[in-house]
């Protein structure tokens, strides 16, 4: 999906998500071109979903090339952040800047997620959603998040978490040289603030913005605050 004109910013969702994760970010079209992707096997994109970040990177690069995009900003949430950082490392000439939202240089996955998603999808997705949103988030927003994730096949979610669990650029993050904005929710239980602090330490010249009263899904919980930070970053 493409909205607006100007600097292109490509938004990549997290594990078990889709372009719906960025509903609030469509408002950014007043200042830039907003490009929302459904990764392979998610939303309206055919599968299968790969179980590694490298294949996701190839899919994203191919899609952006087909769209005629040669230089762009990348915004990634969680697993999407892993893809964004990997692309910044492999194709620095194409990435004008990074917006890293609730992500890390290493994304260890709770064993309960991997063990449970194929055995009892509904129960496990409930557990994931309970941890993904902050305590003050209205129940109806959590329920929408639950319904959205349940649209993903269990195998797709499982593969996403395998991809995250294998991801590790802790020894390479300092090689990211493009301007980088790190958005960190203080109540994020899945990628806690120390993950963002590590990225800030490793990526030279990066800036960090703290989002209060929000959890892992901060772009939904605090959409306007996230948007304001993105507008200020891209200019």
């Amino acid at each position: 999906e493409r909205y607006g004109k100007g600097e292109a910013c490509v938004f990549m969702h997290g594990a078990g998500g889709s372009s719906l994760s960025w509903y609030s970010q469509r408002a950014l079209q007043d200042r830039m071109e907003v490009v929302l992707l459904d990764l392979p096997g998610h939303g309206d994109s055919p599968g299968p979903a790969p179980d590694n970040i490298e294949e996701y990177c190839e899919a994203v690069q191919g899609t952006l090339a087909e769209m005629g995009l040669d230089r762009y900003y990348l915004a990634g949430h969680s697993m999407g952040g892993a893809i964004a950082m990997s692309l910044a490392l492999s194709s620095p000439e194409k990435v004008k800047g990074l917006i890293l939202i609730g992500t890390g240089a290493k994304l260890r996955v709770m064993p309960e997620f991997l063990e449970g998603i194929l055995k009892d999808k509904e129960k496990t997705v409930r557990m994931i959603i309970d941890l993904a949103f902050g305590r003050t988030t209205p129940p109806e927003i959590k329920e929408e998040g639950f319904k959205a994730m349940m649209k993903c096949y269990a195998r797709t979610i499982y593969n996403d978490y395998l991809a995250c669990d294998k991801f590790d650029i802790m020894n390479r993050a300092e090689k990211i040289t493009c301007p980088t904005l790190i958005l960190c929710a203080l109540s994020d239980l899945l990628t806690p603030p120390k993950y963002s602090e590590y990225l800030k330490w490793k990526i030279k010249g990066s800036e960090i913005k703290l989002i209060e009263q929000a959890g892992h899904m901060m772009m939904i919980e605090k959409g306007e605050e996230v948007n304001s930070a993105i507008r200020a970053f891209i200019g």
Side-chain angles (χ1 to χ4, degrees):
E1 299 175 31
R2 303 176 79 168
Y3 304 92
K5 295 180 180 179
E7 293 278 12
C9 187
V10 181
F11 291 81
M12 296 177 290
H13 60 78
S18 74
S19 58
L20 293 175
S21 301
W22 304 109
Y23 180 83
S24 297
Q25 282 61 58
R26 294 180 187 179
L28 291 168
Q29 64 184 287
D30 64 344
R31 294 279 292 276
M32 63 195 73
E33 181 180 13
V34 176
V35 181
L36 306 181
L37 299 184
D38 281 332
L39 295 170
H42 302 73
D44 293 328
S45 291
D51 65 359
N52 61 86
I53 297 300
E54 291 75 20
E55 286 186 59
Y56 272 127
C57 288
E58 291 173 11
V60 169
Q61 279 189 314
T63 297
L64 297 182
E66 288 175 9
M67 295 171 66
L69 292 176
D70 188 53
R71 288 266 290 162
Y72 36 74
Y73 287 86
L74 292 176
H77 173 244
S78 201
M79 183 180 77
I83 298 168
M85 287 184 282
S86 297
L87 288 172
L89 287 168
S90 65
S91 304
E93 73 284 357
K94 294 183 179 296
V95 182
K96 297 186 75 171
L98 290 177
I99 301 160
L100 304 176
I101 304 171
T103 191
K106 189 174 184 178
L107 295 174
R108 280 284 178 86
V109 175
M110 293 176 64
E112 296 92 332
F113 293 178
L114 283 168
E115 293 167 4
I117 197 66
L118 296 180
K119 295 178 181 178
D120 191 333
K121 178 186 174 184
E122 182 173 349
K123 179 182 178 182
T124 305
V125 170
R126 283 285 183 200
M127 176 172 60
I128 293 167
I129 293 299
D130 283 343
L131 292 171
F133 286 91
R135 294 177 182 175
T136 60
T137 301
E140 57 269 24
I141 293 180
K142 288 186 177 182
E143 188 62 23
E144 287 300 314
F146 170 77
K147 290 177 182 177
M149 195 169 192
M150 284 296 291
K151 291 179 181 178
C152 257
Y153 290 116
R155 176 59 64 176
T156 294
I157 302 172
Y158 180 79
N159 283 359
D160 283 352
Y161 282 134
L162 276 182
C164 289
D165 205 47
K166 291 185 283 187
F167 176 72
D168 184 353
I169 60 161
M170 291 186 73
N171 294 326
R172 294 194 295 139
E174 71 272 9
K175 295 180 180 178
I176 294 173
T177 57
C178 62
T180 301
L181 170 66
I182 302 162
L183 297 181
C184 167
L186 294 180
S187 298
D188 189 339
L189 298 177
L190 297 180
T191 52
K194 66 179 181 180
Y195 285 34
S196 293
E197 291 164 4
Y198 183 85
L199 290 174
K200 175 70 175 69
W201 176 55
K202 280 286 190 175
I203 302 175
K204 188 176 180 180
S206 62
E207 55 183 287
I208 191 167
K209 167 74 174 175
L210 303 179
I211 309 293
E212 297 183 1
Q213 295 185 329
H216 190 58
M217 304 301 290
M218 68 193 87
M219 68 283 190
I220 295 174
E221 298 170 273
K222 295 289 182 178
E224 188 47 50
E225 193 171 339
V226 167
N227 288 356
S228 294
I230 294 174
R231 285 192 184 99
F233 176 67
I234 294 182

